């Protein structure tokens, strides 16, 4: 399975194509994503353990949503059952990915607390106040630890981005899937930069009207993951049950216009020739 390097503008195209896929069944997508958010909120009420468990099984949910995207290409509707379908097949590799991601996050948080010191930890966790003389050092440690956390979290996210899709679609082992996902993101660093910046801007805009824009943005992010997977690993756009993609239809339309214009020119030339003969 080859990892393709795509043009930088594809980072924006992933979002546009993802929105197109969302637009084909908007109510179903909103219902699926809303259910997933309810599950995440319900598990967050369980102290400490709930967030850990949700992080552990989140790749299983993501794999099910990706299967829903594939079914939509084949002309089938996306349904709520897609959210849980991967639990019935082979959830162990997907949970393994979630476990590796969880361990990575725990190690990063532990390193942040170690660098930030006990004063920063007490201030963040328990709301403890610090003196003005100690505030500058605490803020400096917080800035340093935040930069380190961001630097370490990005490679971890890169390794987890495509790995559930590689497991569910190609039966790739979890460790190998995370390696290929990391190198796929690294090889397409420029498109992902444009993709990330665009998502940040869209997130800010979506939060402005009381967060209502997230109803569209969250499903679009899921669908854009599927589009980027097809672009990088399969080198093909979205193809629906009629076997054609949007760019192909545009080409057909343009050829039709060209053919009609050439026929019109031929008719005009024939009429001019008849007038000259008369």
């Amino acid at each position: 399975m080859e990892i393709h390097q795509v043009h930088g503008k594809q980072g924006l195209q992933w979002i546009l194509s993802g929105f197109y896929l969302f637009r084909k069944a908007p109510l179903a997508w909103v219902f699926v994503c809303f259910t997933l958010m309810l599950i995440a909120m319900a598990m967050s009420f369980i102290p400490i353990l709930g967030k850990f468990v949700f992080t552990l099984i989140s790749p299983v949910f993501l794999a099910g949503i990706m299967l829903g995207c594939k079914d939509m290409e084949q002309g089938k509707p996306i349904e709520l059952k897609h959210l849980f379908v991967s639990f019935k097949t082979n959830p162990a590799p997907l949970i393994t990915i979630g476990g590796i991601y969880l361990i990575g996050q725990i190690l990063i948080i532990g390193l942040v607390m170690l660098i930030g010191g006990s004063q920063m930890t007490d201030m963040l966790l328990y709301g403890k106040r610090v003196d003005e003389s100690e505030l500058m050092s605490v803020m400096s440690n917080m800035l340093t630890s935040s930069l380190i956390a961001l630097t370490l979290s990005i490679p971890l996210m890169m390794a987890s981005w495509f790995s559930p899709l590689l497991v569910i679609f190609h039966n790739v082992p979890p460790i190998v899937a995370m390696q290929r996902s990391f190198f796929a993101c690294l090889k397409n660093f420029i498109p992902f930069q444009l993709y990330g910046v665009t998502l940040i801007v869209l997130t800010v805009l979506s939060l402005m009207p009381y967060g209502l824009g997230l109803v569209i943005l969250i499903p679009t992010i899921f669908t854009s993951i599927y589009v980027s997977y097809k672009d990088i690993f399969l080198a093909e756009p979205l193809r629906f049950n009629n076997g054609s993609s949007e760019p192909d239809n545009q080409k057909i339309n343009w050829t039709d216009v060209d053919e009609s214009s050439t026929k019109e020119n031929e008719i005009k030339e024939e009429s001019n020739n008849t007038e000259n003969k008369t």
Side-chain angles (χ1 to χ4, degrees):
M1 182 172 47
E2 184 181 357
I3 298 174
H4 300 89
Q5 186 174 9
V6 301
H7 296 290
K9 63 181 181 180
Q10 290 300 108
L12 181 60
Q13 185 62 43
W14 296 337
I15 300 175
L16 296 176
S17 298
F19 176 73
Y20 175 77
L21 187 58
F22 159 76
R23 199 179 61 182
K24 292 182 72 68
L27 294 179
W29 273 111
V30 171
F31 183 61
V32 169
C33 293
F34 181 72
T35 303
L36 181 60
M37 291 178 62
L38 283 180
I39 295 173
M41 292 174 60
M43 298 190 71
S44 65
F45 288 117
I46 304 175
I48 302 177
L49 185 62
K51 295 181 180 179
F52 287 168
V53 173
F54 183 78
T55 302
L56 194 66
I57 63 177
S58 57
V60 188
F61 289 125
L62 180 60
I65 293 175
M66 296 300 105
L67 288 173
C69 293
K70 186 176 182 180
D71 283 348
M72 287 190 67
E73 277 194 296
Q74 298 174 355
K76 303 175 184 177
I78 183 170
E79 299 174 345
L80 184 61
K81 65 179 183 181
H82 284 106
L83 199 60
F84 308 99
V85 68
S86 295
F87 286 96
K88 299 178 181 179
T89 54
N90 189 15
L94 298 169
I95 294 176
T96 302
I97 294 174
I100 295 173
Y101 184 84
L102 177 61
I103 293 173
Q105 286 289 342
I106 292 174
L107 292 176
I108 291 173
I109 293 173
L111 183 61
V112 167
M113 291 183 175
L114 181 64
I115 296 174
S118 59
Q119 293 178 341
M120 187 194 77
T121 304
D122 293 340
M123 186 175 67
L124 294 177
L125 296 181
Y126 308 110
K128 184 178 179 180
R129 296 183 179 182
V130 295
D131 298 333
E132 294 182 359
S133 58
E134 300 176 345
L135 183 61
M136 292 300 296
S137 61
V138 172
M139 294 301 294
S140 177
N141 292 337
M142 186 180 298
L143 178 61
T144 303
S145 58
S146 299
L147 292 175
I148 293 175
L150 180 63
T151 303
L152 296 177
S153 296
I154 290 176
L156 184 61
M157 187 179 298
M158 291 167 61
S160 305
W161 192 258
F162 292 118
S163 51
L165 290 85
L166 298 178
V167 168
I168 200 70
F169 291 140
H170 304 279
N171 200 23
V172 179
I175 303 297
V176 179
M178 297 188 77
Q179 291 175 350
R180 292 183 180 177
S181 176
F182 174 79
F183 286 111
C185 295
L186 186 63
K187 191 173 183 178
N188 294 276
F189 184 72
I190 295 177
F192 271 103
Q193 273 192 323
L194 180 60
Y195 176 80
V197 171
T198 305
L199 285 184
I200 291 173
V201 174
L202 292 176
T203 302
V204 174
L205 295 176
S206 300
L207 291 173
M208 287 183 180
Y210 304 102
L212 296 177
L214 295 176
V215 175
I216 299 175
L217 182 61
I218 292 176
T220 301
I221 292 175
F222 283 124
T223 52
S224 66
I225 295 174
Y226 180 74
V227 174
S228 62
Y229 151 76
K230 292 201 67 178
D231 198 12
I232 292 175
F233 288 94
L234 304 181
E236 62 181 32
L238 288 174
R239 298 185 184 276
F240 294 96
N241 58 345
N242 56 0
S244 62
S245 60
E246 278 190 293
D248 295 332
N249 291 332
Q250 292 175 0
K251 290 179 182 179
I252 293 172
N253 293 334
W254 280 112
T255 54
D256 292 340
V257 173
D258 292 338
E259 289 178 358
S260 61
S261 62
T262 53
K263 289 180 180 179
E264 290 178 358
N265 292 331
E266 290 176 357
I267 294 171
K268 289 181 180 179
E269 289 179 358
E270 290 178 357
S271 61
N272 290 333
N273 292 330
T274 55
E275 289 179 356
N276 292 331
K277 288 179 181 180
T278 55

